Amino acid sequence: MAAGAREPHFVRSFERGLAVIRAFDADHPELTLSDVARHGDLTRAAARRFLLTLVDLGYVQTDGRMFRLTPRVLELGYSYLSSFTLPELAEPHLEQLVAQVRESSSLCVLDGDDIVYVARVPTHRIMTATITVGTRFPAHVTSVGRVLLAQLPDEEIDARLARAELRSLTARTLVSAAALRAELRRVRRQGYAIVDQELEEGLRSVAVPVRDRDGAAVAAVNIPVHASRNSVESVRRDLLPHLLATVARIEADLRVTGPARGTARGTGTHR
C-alpha cells in the first residue's frame, strides 16, 4: 500500500474527530477554534463542526471563544482501563514498593511509538513533570519504553527507530539510531533499563518488564528519582533489587489470573 494510503474501511472524519480531542493536553487545557484547527491540521470550518458536536455530546465545553474538555472524556479511557486487569492487579504491589523505597512508581504499556502510564503510585516529593494515568512519552527516551522495545524482534526495532523523531530533549538524549539500537541490545541482555537524564534534566529512571504466563512483555514498571539524590550506581544497587522483586510478585499474580485483558503483543505497531 502506498505511503499515507488507508484501508477502504478507514473513516477519515472519525480520525479528524479524535484529532480534535487529542489537541488538548496538560500544556493546552484551553484552546481557541484556530488553535484546534492548527493542532488537528483541520480547516476552521471542520474544526468548528467537530467542536460543536463534542459540545452537544458533553465532551467539550465553551464560553463562546475558548474550548476545553469536560470530565466526561474520562469515560473514553475508563472503557479501556475497566477491561484491562493488569493496573488493578499491579497497584497493591506498586504501593508496597513505594513504601519500601520512598520513591514513586508506575506501570506503563507500549502504545505505538509511545509509552502510556496506566497505573501510578506517587510519593509526596514533587517532580518537575506532572505524571498521571494517561500521560504519554516517546518510548525510546524512557526506561519503560526501552525495556519494552528491547523485547521486540530486531526488524521491528529497526522500523520503529527509522520512523522515530530522534531529537535532543536534554544534552544527554541519545539521538543516533545506531546508539539506541546498541543500548536496546544491552537492555535485552541485562533485563532492565536505566535512563540517565535523557527525558528531563535531573531525572533518572530504572525499569523492568512485566511478563505474562507465556513470557511476553506486556508492560513495565519503573522507579524515577532525582539525579541529585541518587547516582546511577545507587539506583542499580539500592532500587533495582526492590523493583525486580515487585515485578516478580506481579508476574506471579498474572500467572494465576491469566493474560491481562486489553494487552496485545506489539501493541499499536500500525501507527
Side-chain angles (χ1 to χ4, degrees):
M1 183 176 292
R6 300 291 191 179
E7 297 287 351
H9 61 257
F10 192 84
V11 181
R12 178 68 172 168
S13 60
F14 186 65
E15 179 191 35
R16 290 172 173 168
L18 291 176
V20 168
I21 293 175
R22 295 177 65 182
F24 298 89
D25 57 26
D27 295 325
H28 307 92
E30 289 190 323
L31 296 170
T32 65
L33 172 60
S34 297
D35 293 333
V36 172
R38 184 174 64 256
H39 282 285
D41 195 22
L42 302 166
T43 65
R44 281 176 53 88
R48 182 176 182 276
R49 289 196 301 272
F50 285 120
L51 282 168
L52 293 182
T53 298
L54 290 168
V55 169
D56 290 344
L57 293 173
Y59 292 113
V60 169
Q61 61 187 20
T62 181
D63 61 5
R65 178 177 178 273
M66 303 299 296
F67 295 84
R68 66 181 301 126
L69 299 179
T70 71
R72 190 170 188 177
V73 170
L74 294 174
E75 294 176 353
L76 304 177
Y78 181 75
S79 298
Y80 168 73
L81 289 175
S82 63
S83 65
F84 183 40
T85 62
L86 186 51
E88 183 178 358
L89 180 151
E91 191 161 345
H93 299 292
L94 297 184
E95 290 173 351
Q96 181 180 351
L97 174 63
V98 169
Q100 289 173 334
V101 302
R102 297 185 180 181
E103 300 286 355
S104 62
S105 182
S106 301
L107 178 79
C108 302
V109 296
L110 191 61
D111 180 34
D113 297 324
D114 296 338
I115 55 95
V116 181
Y117 285 70
V118 295
R120 178 168 171 78
V121 177
T123 63
H124 294 301
R125 292 186 176 127
I126 299 174
M127 302 294 289
T128 302
T130 300
I131 307 296
T132 59
V133 170
T135 295
R136 308 174 72 93
F137 288 118
H140 67 277
V141 294
T142 64
S143 59
V144 283
R146 287 187 184 171
V147 292
L148 293 173
L149 290 174
Q151 313 306 313
L152 300 175
D154 289 340
E155 59 270 21
E156 184 168 349
I157 290 174
D158 289 343
R160 285 171 179 265
L161 292 181
R163 68 175 181 249
E165 185 181 357
L166 303 181
R167 60 187 180 89
S168 294
L169 300 178
T170 75
R172 297 171 181 258
T173 306
L174 291 181
V175 293
S176 160
L180 277 166
R181 195 175 294 110
E183 176 64 14
L184 291 177
R185 285 197 295 267
R186 187 164 70 93
V187 168
R188 182 187 293 167
R189 289 194 304 270
Q190 67 189 16
Y192 66 89
I194 295 178
V195 171
D196 183 13
Q197 304 181 79
E198 293 189 47
L199 176 65
E200 179 184 335
E201 291 285 356
L203 178 65
R204 292 188 172 116
S205 181
V206 58
V208 172
V210 177
R211 300 182 185 278
D212 65 14
R213 58 167 50 164
D214 297 322
V218 294
V221 177
N222 77 342
I223 301 175
V225 297
H226 284 287
S228 61
R229 295 197 306 267
N230 302 85
S231 66
V232 171
E233 182 51 40
S234 71
V235 168
R236 186 179 292 110
R237 181 188 65 239
D238 301 330
L239 299 181
L240 180 58
H242 291 289
L243 183 55
L244 289 168
T246 297
V247 167
R249 289 192 292 270
I250 294 172
E251 291 176 340
D253 284 354
L254 267 181
R255 286 194 292 271
V256 174
T257 61
R261 295 193 305 272
T263 60
R265 295 168 196 177
T267 297
T269 54
H270 304 291
R271 186 179 175 207

